[in-house]
Amino acid sequence: MKVVYCSLLVFVITLRGCFLSDAYIDPTYGFVEVMLNQSNFEYQKPYDTPLDQRYSYQNGTHRFWVYADDKPFSLGSNTQPRTEIRILPDYTSGIWQFEGMAFVPNGTSGATIVQIHGAAHGNTTILLRIFNGDMRYYSTPVIATDLYDKWFKLNLIHDVDGGKVAVFIDNEERFKIHDQGPSMLHFKFGVYGAPRNISYYMESRWKDVKIYKKC
Ligand SMILES: *[C@@H]1O[C@H](CO)[C@@H](O)[C@H](O)[C@H]1NC(C)=O
Ligand SMILES: *[C@@H]1O[C@H](CO)[C@@H](O)[C@H](O)[C@H]1NC(C)=O
Ligand SMILES: *[C@@H]1O[C@H](CO)[C@@H](O)[C@H](O)[C@H]1NC(C)=O
Ligand SMILES: *[C@@H]1O[C@H](CO)[C@@H](O)[C@H](O)[C@H]1NC(C)=O
Ligand SMILES: *[C@@H]1O[C@H](CO)[C@@H](O)[C@H](O)[C@H]1NC(C)=O
């Protein structure tokens, strides 16, 4: 009896340890969710193409796709084609977090699937691109590999006050870097053709997209 009791106790303590460390590795620990509704989403897609030819929302999954020879999001823009959701409103200070489950089909390459737009220096704080199944910060360095055809959890923390951005894949911190200075900032997700090495067809899928803020 004593032995059973003891191993039960050890089991309970181990379980508790697991839950505690889970709390620590959950990147949203200490953050509060910011409730989003449709008014927080601005859809960007090739300006001459109806949204439903580049985007769908079914069963809680956003699907974005775009072709390398599509038009930019606005007439006269010299940017590469995109189908993205911009999350409104902009933030300018504090600590913010984007979370989502992402899926990129094999074949999509060169595409930015998530970004923080705005920066004191340049146009963006961070671009996360998929090249041949690997995720890169801009064109280099590699943050994660072998991401095709599977759902993965992505968390992006932007500490504007501390000037830092961190990337988590499946709850593991994979990358941290200085940001590009404060500005009018917002998260975007979808597909955006990076300047070089883009595949003709680019697609990403997203679900459980959430925004959090540290109090
Ligand atoms: C959607 O969110 C906005 C901004 O947070 C809020 O002002 C608005 O009342 C919300 N609309 C609905 C239908 O909940
Ligand atoms: C959505 O869910 C329904 C019911 O489970 C299923 O029949 C359908 O194939 C799903 N559609 C997509 C695009 O996953
Ligand atoms: C992606 O597709 C290519 C071409 O069909 C194939 O060679 C490769 O093994 C695939 N990669 C993965 C990770 O499935
Ligand atoms: C910022 O965006 C503008 C407009 O698309 C572009 O002309 C400019 O080259 C970009 N600047 C940088 C540093 O990428
Ligand atoms: C881009 O394409 C060129 C030419 O195919 C190749 O040499 C280079 O490694 C590619 N870069 C990336 C990041 O895939």
Side-chain angles (χ1 to χ4, degrees):
M1 274 312 263
K2 211 166 185 184
V3 172
V4 170
Y5 178 75
C6 191
S7 43
L8 259 181
L9 193 66
V10 168
F11 179 68
V12 168
I13 288 169
T14 310
L15 263 185
R16 193 161 165 269
C18 284
F19 288 132
L20 278 179
S21 55
D22 274 351
Y24 272 100
I25 62 168
D26 178 350
T28 66
Y29 187 75
F31 284 74
V32 172
E33 188 176 347
V34 176
M35 288 304 162
L36 300 178
N37 64 36
Q38 277 301 318
S39 75
N40 299 104
F41 287 173
E42 178 187 297
Y43 298 85
Q44 299 183 344
K45 42 88 188 167
Y47 69 79
D48 63 346
T49 308
L51 182 63
D52 67 4
Q53 288 179 25
R54 294 293 181 276
Y55 169 83
S56 69
Y57 183 69
Q58 274 184 299
N59 294 353
T61 300
H62 304 269
R63 183 171 158 244
F64 304 82
W65 65 101
V66 80
Y67 299 91
D69 57 4
D70 274 343
K71 295 281 197 285
F73 77 106
S74 69
L75 184 60
S77 167
N78 62 2
T79 60
Q80 295 279 100
R82 73 183 75 218
T83 306
E84 287 184 304
I85 287 178
R86 167 185 177 170
I87 297 178
L88 303 168
D90 285 357
Y91 61 94
T92 55
S93 62
I95 307 179
W96 293 78
Q97 180 165 183
F98 170 92
E99 176 178 78
M101 294 295 299
F103 181 102
V104 181
N106 187 354
T108 290
S109 198
T112 295
I113 60 161
V114 67
Q115 60 165 301
I116 297 174
H117 192 273
H121 310 287
N123 292 327
T124 55
T125 292
I126 188 169
L127 296 188
L128 295 178
R129 293 176 178 160
I130 300 292
F131 282 105
N132 306 317
D134 299 340
M135 178 180 283
R136 292 171 181 251
Y137 169 73
Y138 293 90
S139 292
T140 187
V142 172
I143 293 177
T145 58
D146 194 22
L147 294 176
Y148 277 150
D149 293 334
K150 60 179 73 149
W151 286 98
F152 58 92
K153 186 173 173 224
L154 184 111
N155 293 72
L156 192 52
I157 298 180
H158 189 187
D159 178 353
V160 187
D161 304 336
K164 290 224 160 49
V165 205
V167 181
F168 293 75
I169 306 284
D170 292 332
N171 292 333
E172 194 184 316
E173 186 178 301
R174 292 296 188 93
F175 188 69
K176 194 168 193 172
I177 198 160
H178 288 291
D179 70 3
Q180 305 296 318
S183 181
M184 301 294 286
L185 302 152
H186 52 261
F187 296 100
K188 301 182 81 180
F189 62 107
V191 268
Y192 168 45
R196 281 187 279 178
N197 291 53
I198 53 175
S199 51
Y200 180 66
Y201 177 77
M202 292 167 274
E203 177 186 332
S204 75
R205 299 174 208 163
W206 289 89
K207 60 185 182 185
D208 303 330
V209 170
K210 292 178 182 147
I211 298 292
Y212 298 87
K213 189 179 190 308
K214 206 156 205 168
C215 287

